Amino acid sequence: MKVIIVCGLLGLCSCFFALEGPPMLYIQSPMCGTDAARLTSQAVCILALLGLLALSAPAADARQLKQTAITDADILNFALNLECLEGQFYHCAVYGTPLPASVTGNGPAPIGCQAANFTNDDIYSLAMDVANNEMAHVAYLRTALGNASVQCPQVNIGSAFAAAANAALNTTLSPAFTPYTNDLFFLHGAFIFEDVGVTAYKGALTSFTNSNYMLAAAGIMAVEAYHAGYIRTALIQNGDVVTPYGVNVTTIVNAIAMARETLDGSVAAHMVDDEGIYNSTTMDYILTPVDSNAIAFSRTTTQVLDIVYLGSSTKPGGFFPNGLNGNIK
């Protein structure tokens, strides 16, 4: 904005305020026949300008607040989207069908849904338990949100896994990776999601204003942590198994963890918010990915979106080809 002070023939100073082009506002200030008076005139002009800005600021701030304020319902809907992703994956892998429409709010069918080729009864039994948990989480969140709940979005649980694996190993795997091939590959697919879920809930807990919602989210986070603990344990037990891609399980899982850190910006920021299942420095296996105080890592909603979109929080893709539903997306 330009401020122009002009002294007229009668000694009056005029202030012209303009953004560009012709003056937008005209204010007349005291006499300015002397240098001191001219300084006074300038002060009057400046005070007038500040007053005008102050009058317009509250409205602008209110508009901005309205656009950026995030509610408890928004946070729960963000969690609901993630639960829809996990729920569809596990339900398809175990039962060969998507989540019931009554659970998803008549959401669109997932891309790439198919039953996994389970041959290990123990892994199948535990996968069924996880599938039922995730379906219950979706149903619970939609019930808790009531009319504020969003519909489950379309998720890609087919080719997105291949894209994630290629990105993690920095190559194009052939044949393309799919978590439905066998028990071991199913565990790899589950590993991609479970740790992200734990860190997402951990990062959101302090944002709730309703203590009941916070306790519910904390309870779901605990269940996700149980899932993650089992998945990690099963992968550690098979860590030395060489996959058809010529590398062992540990190498692939550690690469997935590093890919998540890269996607969410932690590597670039020289921070740690993820770990694989083996520490090559200490030569120890890692059951719990935690910080130096043995506290679980946290992720922001932006970091979570960076991971599940497989690139950028501002560009839907990856496991959510059309983005999330709700205000956080």
Side-chain angles (χ1 to χ4, degrees), residues 168-169 184-185 188 191 232-243 246-258 275-281 283-286:
L169 294 172
L184 200 54
F185 280 14
H188 284 76
F191 178 77
R232 282 177 166 270
T233 299
L235 288 168
I236 288 171
Q237 291 171 340
N238 291 277
D240 293 332
V241 174
V242 178
T243 69
V247 293
N248 64 21
V249 169
T250 295
T251 299
I252 295 177
V253 173
N254 279 12
I256 292 171
M258 178 57 70
E275 289 183 292
I277 58 173
Y278 185 74
N279 187 319
S280 59
T281 301
M283 293 185 291
D284 293 321
Y285 282 106
I286 304 168

Side-chain angles (χ1 to χ4, degrees), residues 102-251:
S102 59
V103 174
T104 66
N106 294 310
I111 298 169
C113 179
Q114 61 178 295
N117 181 29
F118 290 107
T119 56
N120 183 303
D121 289 341
D122 291 337
I123 292 179
Y124 175 73
S125 177
L126 287 164
M128 183 182 296
D129 187 45
V130 174
N132 293 337
N133 287 167
E134 299 299 357
M135 181 167 65
H137 288 167
V138 175
Y140 169 76
L141 288 173
R142 295 199 76 252
T143 299
L145 285 162
N147 292 333
S149 68
V150 297
Q151 186 184 66
C152 277
Q154 185 169 60
V155 296
N156 183 335
I157 49 174
S159 60
F161 278 110
N166 290 343
L169 294 172
N170 195 30
T171 187
T172 300
L173 298 176
S174 181
F177 173 80
T178 170
Y180 309 106
T181 300
N182 54 42
D183 303 276
L184 200 54
F185 280 14
F186 164 80
L187 293 173
H188 284 76
F191 178 77
I192 293 175
F193 294 149
E194 291 299 339
D195 284 354
V196 176
V198 174
T199 56
Y201 276 106
K202 169 72 173 358
L205 284 181
T206 58
S207 299
F208 288 104
T209 58
N210 184 309
S211 59
N212 291 327
Y213 285 163
M214 182 181 70
L215 287 173
I220 295 176
M221 181 185 76
V223 175
E224 299 295 346
Y226 287 135
H227 295 169
Y230 165 69
I231 298 301
R232 282 177 166 270
T233 299
L235 288 168
I236 288 171
Q237 291 171 340
N238 291 277
D240 293 332
V241 174
V242 178
T243 69
Y245 299 118
V247 293
N248 64 21
V249 169
T250 295
T251 299

Side-chain angles (χ1 to χ4, degrees), residues 251-277:
T251 299
I252 295 177
V253 173
N254 279 12
I256 292 171
M258 178 57 70
R260 290 188 304 220
E261 275 198 312
T262 302
L263 286 168
D264 74 12
S266 295
V267 171
H270 303 290
M271 298 175 62
V272 175
D273 66 1
D274 211 322
E275 289 183 292
I277 58 173

Side-chain angles (χ1 to χ4, degrees), residues 291-313:
D291 65 15
S292 59
N293 295 312
I295 303 297
F297 295 118
S298 300
R299 281 188 171 98
T300 65
T301 55
T302 298
Q303 289 178 308
V304 173
L305 291 175
D306 286 335
I307 295 171
V308 297
Y309 285 173
L310 295 182
S312 171
S313 61

